[in-house]
Amino acid sequence: MTSTESVETESAVPYDLHQPYALDAVSRQHFDDHGFVKLSGVLSPETLAAYEPEITGKVIELNTQHLPLAERDTYGKAFLQVINLWRHSERVAEFVFSRRLARIAAELLGVDDVRLYHDQALYKEPGGGITPWHADQYYWPLATDRTVTAWVPLQDTPDEMGPLAFAAGSHRFAFGRDLPISDDSEREVQRALAEQDFELVETPFRLGDVSFHQGWTFHRAASNRSASARKVMTVIYMDARNTIAEPTNDAQRNDLKCWMPGVGVGEVPASPLNPILSSSPVGRGDTRGGC
Ligand SMILES: O=C(O)CCC(=O)C(=O)O
């Protein structure tokens, strides 16, 4: 561990965030075969309830999207998006630095350790629009596909709220990887996936369910037809040994500058913003740098 990766001493967190989760072989195989897996009982309702108010408070405080829904584009209608909340709150950092979530991520990817890419809250407002089909790794200048997002709903998420949905097996499908989230990606990827008969897995999430999807797995979410916000916290992980690839688009150039500051092409992104989370002590460490 380098000095930039060192973190503060273990604080007393009276919840289940850091205990191991019994990940079974069937779930690991499902993740390999289908590019995602949904696990139940990953975090207890009590733990989620304990962190939700602080996460929601930070989303409200840090949100920069203030246009009425009707005046936003498709991306803007999909959700309020706030990145790296952990830098703004010790309490949120406790959650994001969950060793339980990080160990699951490492085991699913089949790597020794994972480091943080960034966290992000994705709050789909009542009346919020669809999240168009896309694959996340379009945005990430990383050399390998060993990346995974933990999608953690902070309430039960029935169909009418827009639970995350996946095209099973699409992590091996190359079409559409060059499309950012947009009306085009929704239309083009939908058409291509349907032509190839990929199974759409679109099911509700119970509180405590967490999905893990690979960087190249195509996914979307329906609109929020309910009267409540669909509150979701996500943590994006990469293999701790992954390196930076030459960015292929402006979004990747921006991600490199903002979320892995000071790291060059070919290097391991061991910046202060990318601590190893699967085996390090719990604590926020250095939050400086980036955007
Ligand atoms: O929450 C959503 O609607 C989309 C989530 C997503 O695209 C992701 O976490 O990669």
Side-chain angles (χ1 to χ4, degrees):
M1 180 179 289
T2 67
S3 60
T4 55
E5 290 169 337
S6 69
V7 286
E8 291 162 10
T9 52
E10 183 122 13
S11 64
V13 180
Y15 307 107
D16 53 351
L17 283 176
H18 304 302
Q19 306 303 317
Y21 177 86
L23 187 66
D24 58 38
V26 173
S27 300
R28 277 198 297 268
Q29 192 65 49
H30 190 286
F31 183 79
D32 283 346
D33 292 344
H34 301 290
F36 76 96
V37 68
K38 285 178 78 169
L39 303 174
S40 59
V42 174
L43 294 172
S44 69
E46 293 76 22
T47 295
L48 293 161
Y51 287 94
E52 181 278 322
E54 176 72 2
I55 295 171
T56 299
K58 287 292 155 194
V59 170
I60 293 167
E61 179 189 323
L62 300 169
N63 169 49
T64 56
Q65 173 60 268
H66 300 295
L67 285 175
L69 272 167
E71 292 173 29
R72 302 182 204 164
D73 64 8
T74 300
Y75 193 128
K77 286 183 174 127
F79 38 62
L80 302 180
Q81 178 179 24
V82 182
I83 296 180
N84 271 352
L85 280 69
W86 71 273
R87 297 173 64 190
H88 303 273
S89 161
E90 293 275 0
R91 186 83 175 137
V92 177
E94 284 174 10
F95 188 89
V96 170
F97 284 28
S98 162
R99 264 203 304 274
R100 171 174 288 196
L101 291 177
R103 281 305 325 158
I104 295 172
E107 285 183 46
L108 289 172
L109 290 177
V111 301
D112 291 339
D113 276 304
V114 288
R115 68 174 72 246
L116 179 65
Y117 187 86
H118 64 59
D119 70 39
Q120 65 183 342
L122 297 170
Y123 277 38
K124 205 181 269 297
E125 298 145 281
I130 64 159
T131 307
W133 281 112
H134 68 281
D136 302 327
Q137 212 153 327
Y138 165 85
Y139 293 94
W140 303 339
L142 295 173
T144 80
D145 67 354
R146 295 295 81 190
T147 59
V148 59
T149 299
W151 195 83
V152 189
L154 302 175
Q155 72 291 298
D156 283 337
T157 307
D159 288 336
E160 63 267 25
M161 271 192 166
L164 199 59
F166 309 92
S170 60
H171 57 312
R172 301 202 173 95
F173 189 48
F175 179 87
R177 290 184 174 191
D178 56 346
L179 295 176
I181 297 175
S182 61
D183 292 328
D184 282 352
S185 73
E186 173 66 8
R187 189 180 53 252
E188 295 298 319
V189 174
Q190 168 65 45
R191 186 182 47 73
L193 293 172
E195 273 171 17
Q196 301 293 321
D197 267 344
F198 283 105
E199 183 196 355
L200 172 66
V201 178
E202 187 170 33
T203 51
F205 283 63
R206 297 295 308 271
L207 190 59
D209 294 353
V210 175
S211 66
F212 291 81
H213 63 271
Q214 297 186 28
W216 285 121
T217 303
F218 284 97
H219 53 285
R220 81 184 292 278
S223 57
N224 183 359
R225 286 96 67 204
S226 81
S228 308
R230 188 216 64 181
K231 302 173 182 176
V232 170
M233 187 61 181
T234 69
V235 186
I236 303 169
Y237 306 93
M238 53 190 155
D239 176 3
R241 287 181 297 204
N242 216 334
T243 54
I244 300 296
E246 187 70 46
T248 57
N249 58 46
D250 284 346
Q252 292 191 6
R253 275 182 277 281
N254 185 64
D255 261 35
L256 181 54
K257 177 168 69 80
C258 284
W259 316 128
M260 296 167 287
V263 183
V265 172
E267 294 175 0
V268 170
S271 92
L273 301 193
N274 310 108
I276 291 175
L277 297 185
S278 45
S279 59
S280 58
V282 179
R284 192 153 64 131
D286 191 347
T287 64
R288 286 167 299 175
C291 297

